[in-house]
Amino acid sequence: MLREDKIRLMHKIAQYEKSAEEYERPAKEYFRGDYLSMHLLQSFFSYTLSYLLILGVFLLYFLERILNAVNVSIVLRFVLRCVVIYAIGLLLFELVTYLVFRRRYEESAARREEHLRCLKRLKKRYDTEERIKELEKEESANA
């Protein structure tokens, strides 16, 4: 016998399994700390590479001015300013990365837990239905 609530439950499970490969797989393959560390490391390299490329373009653009003002104190101030900007930008970028991927991991874990609850409910349904069928067989055999 088809029951509407059972069908809804099966549909919910199927929807999760369909979307799980794309969204859930990366998060469930790692522990939370490993997942966050991996993304923080990736963002570190991405930010560093981007910063170096932008700095290179900036240096090429102002190369003539830099060469005309070859004063050690000016160059040191420029280098110090670049390092400070890099450090502040890196801290902000890593903070945003941490917050975003921590939230994604927690949402993924919550969806996995809900999926497991649905599977347990469905298993209970099947077990109950099977037990009812066995009892009906026993009643018909005894009668």
Side-chain angles (χ1 to χ4, degrees), residues 5 14 21 33 42 46 63 71 108 110-111 120 131 134 138:
D5 53 339
E21 279 191 37
Q42 286 176 350
S46 299
L63 186 63
N71 188 347
S108 175
R111 283 191 297 268
K120 286 179 183 177
R131 182 68 182 143
E134 288 176 11
E138 287 177 11

Side-chain angles (χ1 to χ4, degrees), residues 5 17 28 33 45 57 70 76 85 89 91 93 98 104 136:
D5 53 339
E17 289 174 353
K28 77 178 181 182
F45 287 120
V57 168
V70 182
L76 285 176
I85 291 171
L91 286 173
F93 196 73
Y98 176 79
R104 283 186 188 177
E136 287 175 354

Side-chain angles (χ1 to χ4, degrees), residues 9-10 15 24 31-32 41 46 60-61 66 74 81 95 97-98 102 106 126 132 141:
L9 190 60
M10 292 173 77
Q15 274 185 323
E24 307 295 323
F31 291 112
R32 181 177 170 215
L41 193 61
S46 299
L60 287 175
Y61 185 75
I66 293 169
I74 294 173
R81 186 177 296 149
L95 177 66
T97 300
Y98 176 79
R102 186 187 71 188
E106 289 170 354
Y126 279 116
I132 290 171

Side-chain angles (χ1 to χ4, degrees), residues 12 14 17 19 24 31 33 38 45-46 49 53 61 64 76 78-79 85 90 101 107 109 115 117 119 126-128:
K12 190 174 182 179
E17 289 174 353
S19 68
E24 307 295 323
F31 291 112
M38 176 184 64
F45 287 120
S46 299
L49 181 64
L53 288 173
Y61 185 75
E64 186 177 343
L76 285 176
F78 175 75
V79 169
I85 291 171
L90 180 63
F101 283 100
E107 288 174 353
H115 177 68
R117 280 194 294 272
L119 287 174
Y126 279 116
D127 291 345
T128 304

